[in-house]
Amino acid sequence: MSHRTRIARSALATLSGATALSLVLAGCSDSGSSDGDGPAGGDLVIGVTSDPDTLFPWKATQFQAVNVLENIYGSLTELDSDMTVVPGLAEEWETSDDGLTLTFFLRDGVTFQDGSALDSADVVFSLESIKDEATAAVAASSLAAVESVEAPDEHTVELHLASPDASLPANLASVNMSILSSDDTEEELNGQPNGTGPFTFDDRVSSQSITLVRNEEFWGYPAGLGSVEFRVIPDESAIVSALQSGNVQMAVFDDPLVAQTAESGDVTVDPTAQLSYHALMLNATRGDLADVNVRLAVQCAIDRQQVLDTAALGEGEVTGPITSPAYRSDPQARPCPERDLDQAAEYLADSGRSDVTIDAIVSQGEYATSVNEAQNIQAQLAEAGITLELEVLESGAYVDRWVAGDFDAAVALNGGNPDPNGMYGRYFTSDGNLNAVAGYSSPELDELFAEGRSVEDPEERREIYRQISAHLEENAAWIWMFTSYSYTAMTSSVQGFTAMPNGSLRFLRTTALTS
Amino acid sequence: MLRTLTHHPVARRAAAALATLFGVAVFVFVLLRAIPGDQITAALGTEAAALTPAQRSDLEAYYGIDQPLVLQFFSWLGNLLTGNLGYSTRSHESVLELTLRSLPVTFELALLAILIALLIGIPLGMLSASRPDSPRDAAGQLVGLAGLSIPAFLLATTLLSVLASNFGFNPNGQAFAPLFEDPVLNLQQLLLPSLVLGFGIAAPIMRTTRTAVLEVRSNDFVRTARAKGVGARRLQVRHVLGNALVPIVTMVGLQFGYLLGGAVVVEQVFSVPGIGRQVLLGIQQKDYALVQSTVLVIAAAFVLVNLLTDLAYRLIDPRVRAA
């Protein structure tokens, strides 16, 4: 018996073999620095969960794609950290007195990555292509008011509009409105991007990494970083580990729980309030919800702070419809700023309906808090005698139903926009391309939105959008809940970065690494 | 001649393998299209609602999903026969290129994981079998049970986060290094994932070994050998383990086949760009060509491994050779 044991033991000893140990030791000495020897200025590595699904800026909607491409490409206008419109490839612009002509004066000496110079022909080509349905560009509808684009000279571009559109300068500040060289095609750019931004495309290993290097010919201040690598680490907790071991120096998280675990030692985490908003979208064309009193009863039966606290750890702010800083709706300006069950009962009585049941679609996995939000809303509505039936769907199935407008109610996290017309014009005007999804429109709203587009004065615009906001709340078009934060995690070596309310990484151009 | 060919066991197996692969092809094609959503909604998300009908049909033509399903299926199959696995619209590379990059990674990972599983499983199984129902056996079984029941994602995440935050050891946080470009970093990066996988697979191997060894040991020839004075080590390894190998090899073959399908969770946590992640990404992006062809490659690998396992029996067991 005894010899048998000895054999087993000696065999067991092999598994704690010297090879495994030496690998571990070698790993310790080798980790903790970014690899490669790029240009001076530091090589920043950003941890991302997925690589871009396209490199073609006019079709990029995925967060990761937008984050990469906005550093490679340029647009006529850009957004500053507080979401105000600032000059981009256009140094300045002016609107004619009748609001029907918008003239952009292009910057001198701007070149694309391939060395060719930017001129007005590129701008005309880009805007016309974006507007052309055949291109299937996602921002086509933002140019709906544009009738023609003309180039009187090499450095001037005129947009002729069918009706005034004061939101145009803000809408042009998007990666989906990137100005491309008129020599390029979608096919070529998907393999080799060619932009005018602060960084140029260097290398890509599909689903592993994408690397940009500083554009020495950039028209603004050259970027402080020599290179930026977006490294794909699909698991968020693995990104946290990579931050802690110093392999990546920066990452952006949405989930407050993950952000919490990242904060330690050398890593700091900063929350930034987002433009995107959590809402219970109601379809006012269907069933009981067609009655405004039912919708108002729903609104009064929900304590938004409670939804925020239970579903999202209180990490966010209760919001009205408009979330952009310059036009933000007052969350107190609504029929029931606080939960009011008596008022809800009164609205229900006014509607003459006793047994209200609403079917709601909920996405599983699209964002972390969706199901918890839905369940909390369901419980709160139950106390008001309103039944919310939840249909929890895999995110692909949810998007299918959402896109088709096939729901009574939807627990949703919708993207925001710095300009309130860009944000809601498409939803709540009767000819908006998302009106079928929004399920609500009214002649008053159509008129207000048209007015908002024709007025330039910021004060006047604010007043118009305050009225729009009030109209949406008083009719309980949807139930707006809260905005949440995104969390930027950085090691102490990262300096000069400013996070933006739209999640943009535009300020990588002012970022530097200290050793 | 033809008669002997159709009756030849290898020919029969090859035909069965082809039928299996065709079945897999049909299955994955249908299943993929049964998932709600298409490439357009996968790429645009809720923005797809803003598409005009003209834009939508342009995009359908771009992704090739405007064709009837039967046509899509046979054009894919026809391309496969000419060695064209299709084109990934997401990464703008051919599926063949992507697979040639990811399959070797998964193969290496599977090999290392099996190696680790054997190093843990066989000694542990023999230890358990050496004195059944003793504390020693219980200890062995406990380790086996732990291997079976600790979820890979838990073990993986814990290992990664403890080593990274306490020891600063995180080779997987660096860009992935292919084996032939940077073998040292590559092995470091595959160390933890193969440990996690190997630990999980060690459990069935340990149990198979224990059962097989116990069974062989009760045979007459073992007693005879011992009576003839065969040394203890030689008896255990050459006589007992040697004769217990067939079920163990079956188990290893099976596990290796599964591993080639990509250990999705472990590849995901450790950022290993293997074939499992390739399929997962493809499914998320509704990259039909990518998923279909990759799944077929995996199925082919599985069939091949099974075939090789059968051949291995012949090497190990003269009785199979004679049959």
Side-chain angles (χ1 to χ4, degrees):
Chain A
M1 279 298 191
S2 64
H3 21 255
R4 237 174 271 143
T5 330
R6 207 164 48 232
I7 296 159
R9 264 191 209 131
S10 66
L12 262 176
T14 3
L15 76 110
S16 59
T19 35
L21 202 67
S22 64
L23 283 173
V24 173
L25 293 174
C28 287
S29 61
D30 201 37
S31 64
S33 67
S34 65
D35 22 81
D37 41 1
D43 306 313
L44 179 71
V45 183
I46 304 176
V48 294
T49 51
S50 149
D51 71 343
D53 60 353
T54 177
L55 289 181
F56 189 58
W58 295 346
K59 285 186 180 168
T61 56
Q62 184 211 30
F63 197 60
Q64 287 84 357
V66 170
N67 280 344
V68 170
L69 294 171
E70 69 190 350
N71 284 295
I72 300 178
Y73 288 95
S75 46
L76 288 178
T77 59
E78 294 183 355
L79 293 172
D80 212 346
S81 59
D82 60 353
M83 298 282 105
T84 51
V85 183
V86 293
L89 295 176
E91 227 162 4
E92 51 183 337
W93 56 93
E94 57 186 40
T95 312
S96 64
D97 290 338
D98 60 2
L100 294 180
T101 306
L102 203 55
T103 310
F104 289 91
F105 303 98
L106 303 184
R107 222 172 265 282
D108 253 338
V110 177
T111 54
F112 289 96
Q113 182 173 348
D114 68 2
S116 63
L118 170 93
D119 61 21
S120 54
D122 297 316
V123 179
V124 173
F125 158 78
S126 297
L127 296 184
E128 282 181 345
S129 305
I130 291 170
K131 202 175 151 46
D132 183 4
E133 285 212 338
T135 314
V138 292
S141 61
S142 299
L143 297 178
V146 178
E147 273 194 328
S148 65
V149 187
E150 275 164 33
D153 67 58
E154 219 175 289
H155 289 288
T156 314
V157 177
E158 286 176 3
L159 273 60
H160 299 283
L161 312 184
S163 57
D165 186 357
S167 63
L168 206 46
N171 287 340
L172 288 170
S174 152
V175 75
N176 299 136
M177 288 284 192
S178 292
I179 303 303
L180 309 183
S181 159
S182 54
D183 301 327
D184 282 325
T185 64
E186 178 173 354
E187 199 55 47
E188 285 166 4
L189 292 179
N190 261 315
Q192 176 62 50
N194 182 31
T196 57
F199 293 92
T200 57
F201 175 81
D202 182 46
D203 187 32
R204 177 186 199 189
V205 184
S206 175
S207 68
Q208 290 183 37
S209 70
I210 186 159
T211 308
L212 315 181
V213 293
R214 173 170 55 214
N215 179 5
E216 305 289 352
E217 311 297 323
F218 181 54
W219 51 263
Y221 287 112
L225 293 166
S227 74
V228 178
E229 177 189 340
F230 294 84
R231 186 174 297 166
V232 180
I233 300 176
D235 188 72
E236 283 200 323
S237 60
I239 297 185
V240 171
S241 295
L243 273 166
Q244 285 166 348
S245 58
N247 295 108
V248 311
Q249 294 89 39
M250 184 174 169
V252 180
F253 302 109
D254 290 324
D255 190 337
L257 278 176
V258 176
Q260 241 170 38
T261 61
E263 188 148 38
S264 67
D266 193 36
V267 181
T268 53
V269 176
D270 295 315
T272 311
Q274 293 296 289
L275 290 180
S276 54
Y277 55 95
H278 299 249
L280 178 67
M281 293 167 64
L282 303 176
N283 190 331
T285 62
R286 286 165 63 138
D288 292 339
L289 290 172
D291 188 331
V292 65
N293 284 313
V294 172
R295 302 199 302 271
L296 284 167
V298 172
Q299 187 188 120
C300 288
I302 296 175
D303 178 349
R304 296 164 171 85
Q305 188 64 44
Q306 194 190 111
V307 181
L308 173 59
D309 289 343
T310 52
L313 307 172
E315 289 278 302
E317 283 152 37
V318 171
T319 187
I322 300 171
T323 56
S324 90
Y327 297 89
R328 191 187 296 282
S329 308
D330 176 6
Q332 291 299 313
R334 53 176 38 136
C336 291
E338 305 297 329
R339 188 181 192 215
D340 189 341
L341 285 179
D342 295 336
Q343 186 67 51
E346 223 166 278
Y347 280 128
L348 266 189
D350 287 349
S351 77
R353 287 163 223 257
S354 53
D355 192 19
V356 174
T357 301
I358 303 166
D359 295 322
I361 57 170
V362 186
S363 117
Q364 170 86 282
E366 185 109 318
Y367 53 103
T369 53
S370 53
V371 177
N372 292 345
E373 282 175 45
Q375 287 170 344
N376 183 265
I377 295 169
Q378 183 181 43
Q380 293 200 46
L381 289 180
E383 288 173 25
I386 298 170
T387 311
L388 190 71
E389 297 278 2
L390 300 181
E391 196 179 343
V392 180
L393 300 166
E394 176 270 328
S395 67
Y398 173 89
V399 170
D400 256 17
R401 294 274 298 274
W402 194 100
V403 165
D406 182 16
F407 56 84
D408 290 352
V411 178
L413 169 60
N414 292 344
N417 190 300
D419 185 84
N421 181 64
M423 187 156 174
Y424 288 119
R426 52 206 243 136
Y427 282 110
F428 293 113
T429 53
S430 50
D431 57 355
N433 56 14
L434 292 178
N435 189 243
V437 178
Y440 182 84
S441 65
S442 71
E444 293 96 308
L445 273 181
D446 281 358
E447 217 166 280
L448 282 169
F449 273 110
E451 215 181 313
R453 278 192 299 269
S454 66
V455 172
E456 288 259 347
D457 179 65
E459 271 313 311
E460 274 181 67
R461 284 197 90 200
R462 259 192 280 281
E463 173 53 24
I464 292 165
Y465 290 107
R466 194 198 55 75
Q467 289 176 33
I468 286 176
S469 187
H471 183 103
L472 290 171
E473 292 277 25
E474 278 154 21
N475 290 281
W478 297 346
I479 315 298
W480 282 269
M481 301 281 173
F482 60 92
T483 55
S484 41
Y485 300 121
S486 86
Y487 303 86
T488 313
M490 290 180 287
T491 60
S492 59
S493 57
V494 184
Q495 305 289 330
F497 178 77
T498 310
M500 289 175 73
N502 58 355
S504 159
L505 297 185
R506 178 172 176 264
F507 285 98
L508 282 180
R509 66 181 69 173
T510 62
T511 305
L513 275 180
T514 58
S515 47
Chain B
M1 177 66 185
L2 189 70
R3 208 181 139 74
T4 44
L5 200 65
T6 53
H7 279 82
H8 193 278
V10 173
R12 273 217 310 272
R13 287 215 51 147
L18 277 180
T20 309
L21 290 181
F22 184 78
V24 170
V26 174
F27 190 66
V28 66
F29 184 89
V30 171
L31 212 60
L32 210 51
R33 277 153 185 81
I35 304 175
D38 54 23
Q39 276 155 308
I40 300 174
T41 49
L44 297 182
T46 51
E47 273 306 312
L51 291 175
T52 64
Q55 284 177 323
R56 207 181 160 84
S57 61
D58 281 338
L59 282 174
E60 279 172 2
Y62 173 75
Y63 287 119
I65 48 177
D66 54 338
Q67 306 289 327
L69 283 186
V70 180
L71 208 67
Q72 286 183 44
F73 179 73
F74 282 104
S75 86
W76 168 55
L77 211 61
N79 283 331
L80 276 184
L81 294 179
T82 62
N84 176 359
L85 298 189
Y87 186 75
S88 163
T89 42
R90 191 188 65 88
S91 51
H92 296 277
E93 271 183 285
S94 77
V95 178
L96 186 67
E97 277 175 285
L98 291 169
T99 307
L100 285 179
R101 210 160 51 221
S102 63
L103 192 62
V105 175
T106 295
F107 187 78
E108 187 194 348
L109 179 62
L111 219 56
L112 288 174
I114 287 288
L115 198 69
I116 288 170
L118 287 175
L119 286 179
I120 302 176
I122 291 187
L124 213 56
M126 289 176 70
L127 179 76
S128 274
S130 66
R131 199 178 293 164
D133 303 322
S134 66
R136 178 195 296 168
D137 185 18
Q141 299 253 39
L142 196 71
V143 177
L145 196 67
L148 272 185
S149 41
I150 297 178
F153 75 86
L154 184 70
L155 190 61
T157 314
T158 312
L159 261 181
L160 189 65
S161 97
V162 168
L163 289 178
S165 56
N166 296 339
F167 301 98
F169 175 75
N170 185 8
N172 299 84
Q174 298 180 52
F176 184 77
L179 179 61
F180 295 106
E181 281 172 30
D182 188 348
V184 177
L185 181 58
N186 174 274
L187 287 175
Q188 288 174 30
Q189 289 179 327
L190 289 185
L191 175 67
L192 291 180
S194 47
L195 262 178
V196 171
L197 287 174
F199 185 55
I201 296 167
I205 289 177
M206 174 260 164
R207 296 182 145 217
T208 314
T209 308
R210 180 181 180 274
T211 314
V213 166
L214 279 178
E215 198 191 306
V216 171
R217 228 181 40 185
S218 61
N219 282 348
D220 290 344
F221 79 86
V222 177
R223 203 177 329 125
T224 312
R226 193 178 295 150
K228 277 166 66 182
V230 175
R233 181 177 295 243
R234 193 175 155 76
L235 183 75
Q236 284 300 326
V237 176
R238 181 83 189 86
H239 294 258
V240 177
L241 187 59
N243 280 288
L245 268 184
V246 168
I248 298 175
V249 166
T250 310
M251 182 52 75
V252 168
L254 206 62
Q255 296 293 342
F256 191 67
Y258 283 132
L259 282 178
L260 284 187
V264 179
V265 173
V266 170
E267 287 182 359
Q268 189 83 350
V269 173
F270 289 108
S271 324
V272 176
I275 206 149
R277 246 181 81 197
Q278 180 171 320
V279 174
L280 183 70
L281 267 176
I283 293 172
Q284 284 167 350
Q285 305 281 347
K286 303 281 184 306
D287 203 335
Y288 292 147
L290 180 66
V291 180
Q292 285 165 194
S293 299
T294 313
V295 168
L296 211 59
V297 168
I298 292 171
F302 196 88
V303 167
L304 192 69
V305 168
N306 270 324
L307 203 69
L308 291 177
T309 312
D310 284 0
L311 290 178
Y313 293 159
R314 292 165 168 264
L315 293 178
I316 298 164
D317 194 339
R319 283 166 300 184
V320 180
R321 227 174 306 165

